[in-house]
Amino acid sequence: FSELRERMMATILEEKVTTPMQKKVEELKKRRAKVMLGGGGDKLEKQRKAGKLTARERIEALVDPDSFEENGLFAEHRSTMFGMEGKDMPADGVVTGAASVAGRLIHLASQDFTVGGGSAGEVHSIKVAEIMMHSLKTGSPFIFINDSGGARVQEGIDSLSGYGKVFYANVMLSGSVPQISLICGPCAGGAAYSPALTDFIIQTRQAQMFITGPQVIKGVTGEEVTAEQLGGADAHMTKSGVIHFIANDDRHAMQLCHKLLSFLPSNNLEDPPHVEGDRKVDPEHELCELVPTDPKKSYDIRGVITRLVDFGDFFEVQAGYAGNIVVGFARITGRSVGIIANQPKVLAGSLDINASDKSSRFIRFCNAFNIPLVTLVDVPGFLPGTQQEYGGIIRHGAKMLFAYSAATVPKITVILRKCYGGAYLAMCGKDLGADRVFAWPTAEVAVMGAEGAVDIVFRKELHEATDKKAKRAELIEQYREVFSTPYVAAGRRLVDAVIEPSLTRRHVAQALEYLQTKRELRPPKKHGLIPL
């Protein structure tokens, strides 16, 4: 009996395995397994030996476990020229889909360098553009992991058309959902413009990004330059200002992306995440000693920032570029804020072309995604010099005036020391719509510093004085008492309160609490015209 039962079970199992549906399922599994190998085991191993993760490993490192749902796994190119007919290009060289990060929906694309060098052809780019539109429809952030040699030359104008679709989608998403680009390998030619259209770029030290490579530059200009010098992470952080964060490797890039997302809402219709945070607003007495009362002495503004924000956690953006201004994300009693602060230890904290561009872009991002702005002011003015004038400091500085004036999120300004001239307005003075302006007792709000003002205002008195040095010192002190104290500005209602430095966090936290329901309308129009 038992022998008969075993034979019957074997027959049933054999029939089950060979049913038409089971055959189709087995075929599906084989096809899926083949596609998921990308360019093949050898190429995947070569990628790993180069210190990089594969396209799918990057996704796995970024998203929550088992949350990724792929879109377009079996997509194929349709090119038939230049050896492309019948050429196997699994997933057409890019993995796209949806997943969650810390429980929140995102959409993403990850280029596969093991498949045709990650080259972007027609279908490749259509896949990316389509998943971007899913991001827009669902109001979720879009993450693009770049690792591509550029346009697929064999597809000619079709590959360029594909790029155009991606660029157009970048613009459609702009201001609606956050867009983050991760540069984890080569990003050459037209491919570099998609990251440039996104909100933030994270580049690893193994990656290069440029429009024209070293060979082309040498051929045109004769200049010798390496790929690292031209398009490496350090070059783009310190010189071009194209990128926002440097990652040591792929896994570090994913960690930075995680942290960045934690400060941001999923879309422009949501408020940023409000976490438990640090509810303590006890006096920070170190602030009284951290900032010298002598306006000529420098200090690191980061020391002030870390004492104002929750747990001293400040996520600085573009830390290596335009060091005379510091921008980044933090939380104050659990609320995400964008911080803009002059840096007295670099160019005395003065505003120049690069600082104006850096801060204006950050301000506009925060405003688009409902992130309150906290501005810390210690600025002697705009940087003088022919290089700045010829470079268009007037136009670039005007971007700050525009960005702050256009912003409707809560705007809180704290004047620590110097606050002179047009830079006073550019750092979100009351007349540019600041909702709260606090000043420390050391604040000096004036058209210019007392030393320069005295030479203009009291020129006759100085000329007639017997002891010019003593007279000048007397007049400087007189000018400071009359014009440069925060109480004059407070008397004109340009400063809401003169506060103790140690209580700054308390005042800012309270202002954020009161301003959380702020609503401010603007005249109906297509858009303003920022002086680009």
Side-chain angles (χ1 to χ4, degrees):
F1 178 77
S2 60
E3 186 179 342
L4 176 61
R5 185 176 63 182
E6 287 177 7
R7 285 204 304 268
M8 289 175 65
M9 289 298 296
T11 303
I12 292 170
L13 287 172
E14 186 178 348
E15 288 176 355
K16 185 178 180 182
V17 169
T18 56
T19 60
M21 178 56 75
Q22 190 63 27
K23 286 181 179 179
K24 295 292 184 183
V25 170
E26 290 301 318
E27 181 186 356
L28 168 63
K29 288 180 179 178
K30 289 178 183 178
R31 285 176 176 268
R32 183 189 294 130
K34 182 181 178 182
V35 173
M36 292 183 73
L37 272 175
D42 292 345
K43 290 185 178 179
L44 293 176
E45 194 55 36
K46 184 179 179 181
Q47 177 99 341
R48 295 184 185 107
K49 285 182 178 179
K52 302 195 298 182
L53 298 177
T54 67
R56 295 181 185 278
E57 287 171 346
R58 288 167 178 155
I59 295 173
E60 185 180 346
L62 176 65
V63 307
D64 297 339
D66 301 319
S67 68
F68 180 59
E69 182 184 65
E70 188 163 352
N71 181 293
L73 176 67
F74 299 114
E76 295 180 355
H77 70 85
R78 58 179 185 172
S79 181
T80 59
M81 301 178 67
F82 305 108
M84 288 295 291
E85 185 174 7
K87 186 173 182 179
D88 189 21
M89 303 281 284
D92 209 46
V94 63
V95 183
T96 59
S100 65
V101 172
R104 297 165 62 200
L105 176 66
I106 67 160
H107 285 77
L108 60 84
S110 180
Q111 291 180 316
D112 189 346
F113 191 76
T114 69
V115 178
S119 60
E122 176 197 26
V123 173
H124 177 116
S125 294
I126 287 173
K127 282 181 64 177
V128 174
E130 283 183 350
I131 208 67
M132 292 172 76
M133 297 315 292
H134 284 301
S135 176
L136 183 60
K137 289 176 182 177
T138 58
S140 55
F142 174 67
I143 315 297
F144 194 177
I145 305 173
N146 292 259
D147 190 359
S148 168
R152 193 174 296 164
V153 179
Q154 297 93 325
E155 296 193 26
I157 196 170
D158 289 332
S159 66
L160 295 180
S161 173
Y163 269 147
K165 289 178 172 63
V166 174
F167 300 160
Y168 186 83
N170 282 131
V171 176
M172 291 302 100
L173 269 61
S174 182
S176 293
V177 297
Q179 300 181 79
I180 303 172
S181 296
L182 283 71
I183 314 299
C184 296
C187 186
Y193 283 114
S194 177
L197 287 167
T198 62
D199 301 310
F200 295 101
I201 301 175
I202 302 169
Q203 182 174 346
T204 69
R205 293 197 178 277
Q206 292 88 348
Q208 290 88 39
M209 179 169 51
F210 43 73
I211 299 300
T212 54
Q215 298 87 350
V216 175
I217 289 178
K218 184 178 179 181
V220 174
T221 68
E223 183 182 0
E224 290 277 0
V225 60
T226 66
E228 182 64 30
Q229 291 170 330
L230 181 66
D234 288 323
H236 281 310
M237 175 60 77
T238 61
K239 295 180 181 178
S240 72
V242 168
I243 69 171
H244 301 84
F245 304 96
I246 294 178
N248 297 325
D249 54 30
D250 287 358
R251 292 194 184 278
H252 186 211
M254 305 307 151
Q255 291 168 5
L256 291 173
C257 186
H258 259 260
K259 184 159 187 177
L260 178 56
L261 285 169
S262 74
F263 292 102
L264 312 181
S266 293
N267 56 66
N268 66 316
L269 300 179
E270 294 182 4
D271 288 330
H274 189 181
V275 302
E276 185 61 30
D278 182 4
R279 305 299 299 178
K280 295 179 182 178
V281 289
D282 300 333
E284 281 282 352
H285 295 291
E286 290 182 356
L287 285 175
C288 297
E289 306 301 326
L290 190 64
V291 179
T293 55
D294 184 349
K296 293 181 181 178
K297 289 187 177 180
S298 68
Y299 62 94
D300 192 340
I301 194 64
R302 295 183 185 93
V304 176
I305 295 170
T306 55
R307 285 164 176 81
L308 295 183
V309 303
D310 292 0
F311 311 115
D313 183 20
F314 176 54
F315 193 50
E316 188 170 353
V317 176
Q318 287 189 297
Y321 183 70
N324 42 325
I325 201 156
V326 173
V327 303
F329 297 104
R331 292 185 180 86
I332 296 179
T333 61
R335 286 189 171 86
S336 289
V337 296
I339 292 180
I340 305 97
N342 304 114
Q343 176 57 290
K345 67 181 289 188
V346 179
L347 298 177
S350 57
L351 298 175
D352 65 353
I353 289 170
N354 291 341
S356 299
D357 287 354
K358 172 181 171 179
S359 54
S360 299
R361 177 171 177 170
F362 183 74
I363 292 162
R364 286 175 69 77
F365 174 85
C366 289
N367 187 55
F369 291 102
N370 312 311
I371 300 171
L373 297 168
V374 176
T375 306
L376 305 179
V377 186
D378 190 349
V379 61
F382 282 95
L383 186 68
T386 54
Q387 186 177 2
Q388 289 292 306
E389 295 290 349
Y390 294 162
I393 185 61
I394 296 172
R395 172 169 49 89
H396 290 275
K399 294 177 187 179
M400 290 188 71
L401 300 173
F402 190 104
Y404 269 127
S405 298
T408 58
V409 293
K411 296 181 284 191
I412 300 167
T413 300
V414 183
I415 304 171
L416 312 183
R417 292 196 311 185
K418 303 180 297 296
C419 192
Y420 298 154
Y424 152 70
L425 296 170
M427 291 301 293
C428 201
K430 194 76 171 178
D431 297 295
L432 263 62
D435 299 291
R436 297 286 190 278
V437 178
F438 302 115
W440 287 8
T442 47
E444 295 184 9
V445 184
V447 174
M448 62 175 64
E451 289 85 350
V454 161
D455 292 337
I456 297 172
V457 175
F458 299 108
R459 184 185 303 173
K460 183 179 179 181
E461 288 87 339
L462 286 172
H463 180 71
E464 295 174 351
T466 306
D467 188 344
K468 290 182 172 54
K469 186 175 181 181
K471 186 64 174 177
R472 188 170 184 272
E474 175 191 335
L475 293 172
I476 287 173
E477 189 59 32
Q478 179 184 335
Y479 185 90
R480 278 208 177 103
E481 288 180 5
V482 175
F483 290 106
S484 298
T485 75
Y487 304 105
V488 176
R492 300 291 193 276
R493 299 177 64 203
L494 299 176
V495 166
D496 293 302
V498 181
I499 63 173
E500 297 177 39
S502 62
L503 300 179
T504 305
R505 174 175 161 85
R506 178 181 296 175
H507 284 283
V508 173
Q510 193 171 54
L512 287 169
E513 179 74 23
Y514 292 162
L515 291 166
Q516 64 177 313
T517 56
K518 176 188 175 183
R519 296 291 182 268
E520 188 171 330
L521 300 177
R522 286 290 187 267
K525 53 188 171 183
K526 250 187 178 179
H527 54 74
L529 299 171
I530 188 169
L532 295 173

